[in-house]
């Protein structure tokens, strides 16, 4: 059974710092991995999606990497800002079609202090 | 382009009642999935509908059901509500069943259900 773990559960950093969020999964046979951001009481905003054949994806100050063999993904945030404060969730998909549901970690709550 | 729309945003129901939640996907998206989010269990998959048929189902009791209409809009129903059903219910849409390799899913803002 696929399990997704995110460590740490919470992280507080001063503004301007570079930081890394971690995500690990137990079964390396994934279809893709997606990082989301969730603001309090709100839905999920997709940040980056990495296909199983890819090693990394970049969008602005965000960079996500994927190492399937070790069952790990990292989300790197450069030059953090108070507006980056949110909960970050990673989710893996085991397959396409009727196997396409997402399996989520419980998230890392990030607080960026001005 | 309108996003995924969920209604209502908030609901308060009494234990034992039933509730229906609605989700309108992005125009052109034919797949709608439902997830439950609680502080203890996190986000858990409920089911996915495509072309008016349930194609995938998570590990939830039969009190949780859904349907999809010909315009791809979806409803989720929970019967005989329990206190533990209090949660944020999120729906997500995608152009294809199971998402696509490089697209994934787009989520709505959710319906906050409180059972008292």
């Amino acid at each position: 059974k696929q399990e997704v773990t995110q460590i740490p559960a919470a992280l507080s950093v001063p503004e301007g710092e570079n930081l890394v969020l971690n995500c690990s999964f137990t079964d390396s046979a994934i279809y893709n991995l997606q990082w989301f951001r969730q603001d309090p009481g709100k839905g999920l905003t997709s940040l980056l999606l990495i296909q199983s054949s890819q090693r990394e994806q970049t969008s602005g100050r965000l960079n996500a990497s994927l190492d399937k063999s070790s069952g790990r993904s990292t989300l790197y945030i450069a030059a953090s800002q108070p507006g980056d404060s949110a909960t970050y969730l990673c989710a893996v998909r085991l397959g396409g079609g009727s196997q396409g549901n997402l399996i989520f970690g419980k998230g890392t709550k990030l607080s960026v202090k001005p | 382009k309108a996003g995924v729309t969920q209604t209502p945003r908030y609901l308060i129901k009494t234990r034992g009642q039933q509730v229906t939640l609605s989700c309108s996907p992005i125009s052109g998206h034919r797949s709608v999935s439902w997830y439950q989010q609680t502080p203890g269990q996190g986000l858990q998959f409920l089911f996915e509908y495509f072309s008016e048929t349930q194609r995938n189902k998570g590990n939830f009791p039969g009190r949780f059901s859904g349907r999809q209409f010909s315009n791809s809009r979806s409803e989720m129903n929970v019967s005989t509500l329990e206190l533990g059903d209090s949660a944020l219910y999120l729906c997500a849409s995608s152009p294809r069943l199971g998402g696509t390799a490089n697209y994934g899913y787009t989520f709505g803002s959710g319906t906050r259900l409180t059972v008292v």
Side-chain angles (χ1 to χ4, degrees):
Chain A
K1 178 188 171 188
Q2 178 73 269
E3 292 183 359
V4 180
T5 303
Q6 292 185 250
I7 296 174
L11 181 65
S12 182
V13 300
E15 181 178 3
E17 208 167 271
N18 302 325
L19 59 100
V20 174
L21 306 181
N22 297 296
C23 172
S24 62
F25 45 94
T26 54
D27 187 341
S28 62
I30 63 170
Y31 189 66
N32 59 36
L33 182 145
Q34 199 166 357
W35 282 93
F36 295 90
R37 166 187 174 139
Q38 185 174 33
D39 292 288
K42 301 290 181 62
L44 307 183
T45 300
S46 180
L47 298 173
L48 290 164
L49 183 149
I50 310 177
Q51 298 180 42
S52 61
S53 59
Q54 297 175 321
R55 293 300 297 257
E56 66 178 328
Q57 282 283 354
T58 298
S59 176
R61 295 183 294 109
L62 305 179
N63 176 278
S65 69
L66 174 64
D67 184 343
K68 276 180 48 177
S69 61
S70 66
R72 294 178 61 185
S73 176
T74 61
L75 179 67
Y76 174 83
I77 303 177
S80 58
Q81 303 170 358
D84 294 331
S85 298
T87 296
Y88 290 80
L89 296 147
C90 77
V92 301
R93 188 178 316 164
L94 300 181
S98 61
Q99 302 278 321
N101 59 285
L102 294 167
I103 301 171
F104 284 87
K106 293 196 174 179
T108 294
K109 185 175 182 179
L110 174 66
S111 176
V112 181
K113 305 295 186 185
Chain B
K1 188 176 182 180
V4 179
T5 303
Q6 291 188 247
T7 57
R9 288 298 313 277
Y10 302 94
L11 267 178
I12 300 176
K13 290 287 187 179
T14 302
R15 193 170 45 180
Q17 288 186 315
Q18 74 166 20
V19 67
T20 299
L21 312 181
S22 179
C23 174
S24 293
I26 290 173
S27 178
H29 284 196
R30 297 173 61 196
S31 165
V32 174
S33 300
W34 289 89
Y35 289 81
Q36 180 196 65
Q37 186 176 31
T38 60
Q41 298 298 316
L43 272 153
Q44 294 184 289
F45 172 71
L46 281 156
F47 29 65
E48 180 172 13
Y49 283 84
F50 181 83
S51 293
E52 303 176 61
T53 302
Q54 187 182 93
R55 304 300 183 115
N56 194 6
K57 187 178 188 302
N59 189 25
F60 277 81
R63 299 186 297 108
F64 292 81
S65 63
R67 60 177 175 169
Q68 187 180 35
F69 301 94
S70 58
N71 61 358
S72 295
R73 188 178 71 86
S74 177
E75 289 182 346
M76 189 191 88
N77 183 275
V78 188
S79 62
T80 318
L81 283 165
E82 301 177 358
L83 296 178
D85 297 334
S86 294
L88 180 66
Y89 289 89
L90 294 164
C91 86
S93 76
S94 180
R96 289 165 40 180
L97 174 64
T100 61
N102 58 1
Y103 183 85
Y105 293 91
T106 301
F107 280 77
S109 297
T111 294
R112 172 73 64 185
L113 172 65
T114 301
V115 182
V116 298

